[in-house]
Amino acid sequence: MSNYEEILDRVSAIPTGAAGQDRTITWLTDAQVVGLARNSRGHLELFLAGERLEPKTRTVREAMEHHSWHRDALPPLSANRLLLPALGHFDQVGSFIATELLREGAETNLARSFAVTEPLIELSIKRLEVSNSAILGLVGELLILDGLCRRAEDLYVGPIVQSWDGWRRSSRDLSWQGTGAEIKSTTGVTSSHMINGVHQIEPAPTTDDQTGEERLLLVSIGLAIAEPDVSAIKIATLVDSIVERLNASGGAALIDDFLKRVATYGSESGIGYDHRTMANDAPFSTPFSVTFVRGYDMGDPAIGVIRREDVIARQHVSPESLTFRADLPATVSLGNPLTGIRRVAEAILGFQQ
């Protein structure tokens, strides 16, 4: 039986499917029970040949399907396919799952092996989902920061980059001269986002320690993994663009600090992007298409979300601890939301709309 390192080497060499549903399965042993493939988008798939498996957890159940797969010059393959989340370190996770399945005897008793391994599969998928969220968040925040740098005068580029605070635990992703920006990314088709505390949807008040915000924009960004030969953005290219703008505007001294902040973003989720050494690594080289950018003025009374005044009447509830999903429509009122990176950047910078 192959160990983890051997399996990872084999997984790293699995080719991307040519197109559509074409893929080549790499079987890990001669028994051809546990195999891995990569579809045309580069997503890793785990194949478990045999009868339908019955996952006990919702996470694994939603990621798995049983199907009869067509093969050229061979009988159809009856197998369970586990599709790993599109982002994150899926090669390592896929190799780990395959190793554990083989260790537990998948070649001789797949059902038992799967039942024993399922808790580890569930944890692995959930960890990848956390990484996915962090990567999408980083793409969205860099996209807006790049838009601000492109639109701002040279004098303000450095201070704008320094105003980005989403790289660490903070009350606001970015704040500029009285306007706060809370940036949320999604792969969905609507502006549906989890809100973690009412501070994410209300301007920060003035305190002894900080100047408050006059208004808050919730910036909703739709992202999708780009199809081949389509104009796309990547984490690496966004970082390059911001670095180039810093250089051109006299802010070269701030580049090292900016790159350290980028590397810190999502480190708790296990992504930790070092731009100098990881620009070509998956998932940081994943190309994304931007499907929409919407800047919602959260001071608009037409936005019907839970507000601080709705919570403070409950004296034993902390407003910052409240978590809920906000489903924001494509149109709230005239001029709200602002649409497009340029208009959102101009609003944050204080340009007249």
Side-chain angles (χ1 to χ4, degrees):
M1 179 182 67
S2 300
N3 59 33
Y4 168 77
E5 288 75 16
E6 292 172 338
I7 290 177
L8 179 58
D9 285 343
R10 296 185 66 184
V11 169
S12 299
I14 293 174
T16 298
Q21 296 299 313
D22 292 342
R23 63 192 38 87
T24 300
I25 300 175
T26 297
W27 297 107
L28 300 181
T29 66
D30 292 339
Q32 295 194 359
V33 174
V34 179
L36 294 117
R38 211 180 296 276
N39 65 21
S40 60
R41 291 190 173 186
H43 303 173
L44 197 65
E45 303 172 336
L46 177 70
F47 282 85
L48 303 176
E51 299 297 319
R52 179 188 299 274
L53 297 171
E54 299 295 341
K56 291 183 172 59
T57 62
R58 186 181 68 178
T59 299
V60 180
R61 189 162 53 247
E62 290 177 349
M64 181 175 282
E65 67 171 331
H66 186 268
H67 192 65
S68 181
W69 308 92
H70 172 75
R71 297 187 290 181
D72 293 338
L74 289 172
L77 170 67
S78 179
N80 303 272
R81 181 183 68 166
L82 182 70
L83 179 61
L84 296 178
L87 306 176
H89 302 291
F90 40 75
D91 282 12
Q92 290 86 344
V93 172
S95 301
F96 168 72
I97 293 172
T99 302
E100 291 303 309
L101 285 164
L102 291 171
R103 194 193 310 278
E104 294 294 342
E107 295 170 291
T108 57
N109 191 334
L110 178 60
R112 177 197 168 279
S113 171
F114 177 78
V116 172
T117 309
E118 184 178 355
L120 295 176
I121 297 174
E122 180 189 25
L123 288 173
S124 298
I125 291 175
K126 285 185 175 179
R127 181 59 182 268
L128 279 179
E129 289 173 344
V130 171
S131 295
N132 281 8
S133 178
I135 290 164
L136 292 173
L138 180 57
V139 173
E141 293 189 32
L142 290 175
L143 181 68
I144 295 304
L145 188 59
D146 182 51
L148 291 168
C149 289
R150 289 171 178 270
R151 196 67 186 93
E153 296 179 15
D154 287 356
L155 175 66
Y156 299 114
V157 171
I160 286 169
V161 172
Q162 289 184 299
S163 75
W164 174 48
D165 220 20
W167 56 277
R168 60 180 176 178
R169 289 185 178 272
S170 60
S171 59
R172 185 71 68 235
D173 292 328
L174 186 146
S175 189
W176 181 253
Q177 297 185 350
T179 295
E182 192 67 32
I183 303 165
K184 301 283 188 180
S185 299
T186 179
T187 55
V189 297
T190 63
S191 294
S192 179
H193 303 286
M194 292 303 301
I195 306 299
N196 300 302
V198 295
H199 65 279
Q200 290 197 331
I201 47 91
E202 293 185 343
T206 299
T207 66
D208 293 338
D209 300 325
Q210 65 179 15
T211 303
E213 297 168 339
E214 298 173 10
R215 65 171 178 169
L216 172 66
L217 292 179
L218 191 152
V219 184
S220 174
I221 300 173
L223 298 170
I225 295 179
E227 297 289 345
D229 303 321
V230 172
S231 177
I233 59 170
K234 301 177 182 179
I235 288 176
T237 54
L238 288 170
V239 172
D240 278 338
S241 178
I242 295 168
V243 167
E244 288 173 8
R245 190 72 181 96
L246 283 169
N247 262 322
S249 62
L254 301 174
I255 291 174
D256 283 347
D257 188 55
F258 167 64
L259 293 180
K260 288 177 183 177
R261 294 182 178 190
V262 171
T264 301
Y265 188 104
S267 56
E268 294 178 354
S269 306
I271 65 169
Y273 171 64
D274 185 332
H275 184 63
R276 292 188 171 97
T277 62
M278 301 168 68
N280 296 317
D281 292 359
F284 308 111
S285 58
T286 301
F288 290 94
S289 295
V290 180
T291 55
F292 59 80
V293 175
R294 300 172 182 142
Y296 292 89
D297 184 344
M298 298 306 290
D300 188 340
I303 296 181
V305 295
I306 297 173
R307 306 285 185 174
R308 185 174 299 272
E309 57 265 26
D310 300 320
V311 183
I312 58 176
R314 309 293 181 181
Q315 58 180 327
H316 300 141
V317 177
S318 168
E320 274 61 48
S321 70
L322 193 65
T323 299
F324 61 93
R325 179 170 291 279
D327 295 324
L328 301 173
T331 301
V332 174
S333 58
L334 184 63
N336 194 17
L338 300 168
T339 57
I341 298 172
R342 183 185 178 93
R343 293 192 70 200
V344 169
E346 289 178 349
I348 295 171
L349 292 171
F351 292 10
Q352 293 295 323
Q353 298 294 315

